[in-house]
Amino acid sequence: MPTFSTLQNPEKRHLLQALVEEQCNICCYCNRSIEALVCPGETRCHIEHFRPRSGWSDLQLNYDNLHASCGRDNNLGASRTCGHAKGDWFEEDNIVSPLDIGCLDEFIFHETGSVEGSTPRGSATIEKLNLNDKLLQEGRKRAIEQIFPDELSHEDLTTLLDGLNQPDHQGKLLAYTGSLVSVANQLLLISA
């Protein structure tokens, strides 16, 4: 019986490419931009098992359990985030699945780049996946400042929000799309 450990290239590389394309080139957890084509020695992303192989070996090749997660930033002193921080941790009632339709509702993103849980599951996910890592906060803040440089009208915000949810002509979403959508929705409420 095949296992994830016996899956080799080019099949593993094709699987990763399919996951990245399906996710519009963003990490399943932090929404950082990722690319599946990796150069030797670089880890821009990896295949993440939402339910870890250690406890759910029957799901190790189940496509619905597989996601593309960003790799560890190679900056000196960078901490683990997302799938690398999660490791084998999994508590059904304390983790937000990227496949959940309302997963963004479990988080509140701030213009400063920080994120907090709006539910206990959201808070646990942030903590376990280190989603308030300094580099992630800085990335989200930069993305928010680029998209929302000035005050926008309610109509402009609505148009912008529609665009944020649509991949570009290459099938990619903007980095940190989840935080951008969250901030746009907050600004829409204020401008209403």
Side-chain angles (χ1 to χ4, degrees):
M1 179 169 179
T3 65
F4 187 77
S5 298
T6 61
L7 187 64
Q8 300 295 314
N9 284 324
E11 291 82 10
K12 190 177 273 189
R13 187 173 53 246
H14 292 310
L15 174 59
L16 180 58
Q17 183 68 38
L19 291 167
V20 169
E21 288 175 7
E22 183 176 291
Q23 293 171 205
C24 300
N25 287 64
I26 58 173
C27 173
C28 63
Y29 296 124
C30 71
N31 288 177
R32 184 175 7 185
S33 182
I34 56 175
E35 299 290 334
L37 302 175
V38 293
C39 301
E42 289 188 36
T43 310
R44 293 192 186 133
C45 62
H46 69 278
I47 298 172
E48 163 71 0
H49 292 80
F50 182 65
R51 288 174 177 78
R53 290 183 282 166
S54 61
W56 288 266
S57 61
D58 58 320
L59 297 178
Q60 64 185 306
L61 290 176
N62 181 317
Y63 192 79
D64 291 335
N65 189 48
L66 305 177
H67 307 296
S69 177
C70 62
R72 185 174 182 183
D73 197 310
N74 290 332
N75 291 330
L76 189 61
S79 47
R80 292 178 176 263
T81 62
C82 302
H84 286 294
K86 178 179 158 285
D88 283 344
W89 175 77
F90 184 83
E91 295 174 9
E92 188 79 45
D93 295 334
N94 285 318
I95 188 168
V96 177
S97 169
L99 297 180
D100 289 349
I101 298 292
C103 64
L104 279 181
D105 296 337
E106 307 255 5
F107 306 101
I108 301 168
F109 293 91
H110 301 283
E111 292 181 50
T112 61
S114 67
V115 59
E116 66 179 287
S118 61
T119 66
R121 281 180 1 140
S123 296
T125 301
I126 292 165
E127 179 186 340
K128 293 293 187 177
L129 277 61
N130 194 20
L131 297 179
N132 261 328
D133 172 74
K134 181 181 175 189
L135 292 175
L136 290 178
Q137 285 190 43
E138 290 170 358
R140 286 191 293 259
K141 183 178 180 187
R142 276 192 308 275
I144 291 165
E145 287 171 347
Q146 288 173 351
I147 296 295
F148 307 104
D150 300 311
E151 287 192 31
L152 299 170
S153 69
H154 189 82
E155 184 179 317
D156 289 341
L157 283 168
T158 303
T159 302
L160 178 61
L161 186 57
D162 290 341
L164 288 173
N165 288 313
Q166 299 299 317
D168 67 13
H169 67 282
Q170 294 178 320
K172 298 178 181 182
L173 287 171
L174 289 175
Y176 304 108
T177 294
S179 57
L180 297 173
V181 167
S182 179
V183 169
N185 280 323
Q186 291 170 45
L187 292 172
L188 273 172
L189 288 173
I190 294 168
S191 71

